[in-house]
């Protein structure tokens, strides 16, 4: 499966969940922001080198900014910073499902905290930290507890499809060389 198809599936899952759980732009009620594309980007960055990882983080961040109608590229820069933080943390964890969930959810928490600081520094946003945590951060993490498992499952399907494609390619190459022996 191509990386773009994987990210498109993650964005599609974000759109479906966002349609089911509408958000309150005034932040009076609870806001749960799906982050499937963010998780997909983090999972793609794990398997790439630094330059490609930054490229993919910036690309997914720009798309997220576009879909959120954000003109300041906040998410693009935060996605790059989150990917770099995650790359530093991933060296200390194995690849079990629980540890991957902890890694992705803790990186989401860091992204949300940096987003709060970014919006607070911009001056057009005034909200206490407790209100931010109760109305946006905690509901977002609780919603994404379920979504992270779905994205990890889609990533497993992608890796299986890539491995199957590679096996078929190697089988065809070996058959090609057997013809000329």
């Amino acid at each position: 499966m191509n990386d773009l198809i994987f990210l498109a599936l993650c964005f599609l899952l974000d759109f479906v969940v966002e349609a089911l759980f509408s958000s309150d732009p005034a932040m009076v009620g609870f806001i749960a922001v799906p982050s499937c594309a963010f998780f997909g980007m983090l999972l793609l960055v794990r398997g790439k080198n630094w330059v490609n990882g930054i490229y993919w983080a910036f690309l997914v961040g720009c798309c997220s900014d576009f879909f959120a109608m954000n003109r300041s590229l906040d998410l693009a820069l935060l996605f790059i910073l989150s990917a770099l933080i995650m790359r530093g943390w991933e060296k200390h964890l194995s690849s079990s499902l629980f540890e991957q969930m902890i890694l992705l959810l803790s990186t989401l928490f860091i992204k949300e905290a940096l987003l709060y600081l970014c919006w607070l520094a911009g001056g057009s946003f005034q909200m206490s930290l407790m209100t931010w945590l109760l109305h946006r951060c905690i509901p977002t993490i609780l919603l994404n507890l379920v979504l992270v498992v779905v994205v990890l499952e889609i990533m497993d399907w992608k890796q299986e499809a890539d491995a199957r494609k590679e096996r078929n390619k190697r089988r065809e190459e070996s058959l090609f060389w057997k013809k000329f022996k």
Side-chain angles (χ1 to χ4, degrees):
M1 181 186 298
N2 193 355
D3 292 342
L4 289 175
I5 294 171
F6 172 68
L7 286 174
L9 285 173
C10 291
F11 272 115
L12 182 67
L13 188 59
D14 273 344
F15 293 144
V16 168
V17 173
E18 185 70 31
L20 294 175
F21 299 103
S22 61
S23 62
D24 182 16
M27 285 196 202
V28 175
F30 293 114
I31 299 172
V33 180
S35 299
C36 297
F38 178 71
F39 294 145
M41 179 271 306
L42 289 176
L43 290 172
L44 282 180
V45 166
R46 287 182 76 176
K48 306 230 181 273
N49 61 19
W50 286 93
V51 176
N52 285 340
I54 290 172
Y55 167 75
W56 279 105
F58 184 73
L59 180 70
V60 173
C62 284
C63 291
S64 296
D65 276 328
F66 176 74
F67 293 132
M69 292 179 267
N70 189 2
R71 296 176 297 192
S72 61
L73 291 178
D74 292 339
L75 293 176
L77 297 175
L78 289 177
F79 277 30
I80 292 171
L81 190 58
S82 298
L84 293 175
I85 290 170
M86 192 261 328
R87 292 284 300 250
W89 286 348
E90 75 175 337
K91 296 175 185 175
H92 306 291
L93 298 173
S94 68
S95 61
S96 71
L97 177 68
F98 181 72
E99 288 180 352
Q100 285 183 5
M101 285 177 58
I102 294 296
L103 176 67
L104 294 174
L105 290 172
S106 61
T107 308
L108 175 66
F109 177 76
I110 295 297
K111 182 201 66 118
E112 289 292 323
L114 290 174
L115 185 64
Y116 171 74
L117 293 175
C118 184
W119 284 352
L120 195 62
S124 63
F125 179 79
Q126 294 182 356
M127 183 180 286
S128 70
L129 181 61
M130 287 306 293
T131 305
W132 174 266
L133 286 173
L134 290 175
H135 286 261
R136 175 164 172 141
C137 195
I138 292 174
T140 297
I141 290 175
L142 290 176
L143 171 69
N144 286 301
L145 274 172
V146 175
L147 295 177
V148 72
V149 175
V150 174
V151 172
L152 285 170
E153 187 64 33
I154 294 171
M155 184 65 174
D156 284 343
W157 290 343
K158 177 194 177 311
Q159 289 173 342
E160 288 174 11
D162 289 344
R164 193 176 325 111
K165 183 178 178 183
E166 186 66 28
R167 280 193 306 269
N168 288 340
K169 180 180 172 185
R170 288 178 190 237
R171 187 179 316 131
E172 289 173 5
E173 288 174 354
S174 66
L175 290 175
F176 176 76
W177 286 111
K178 286 181 181 178
K179 288 181 184 178
F180 296 107
K181 277 190 171 182

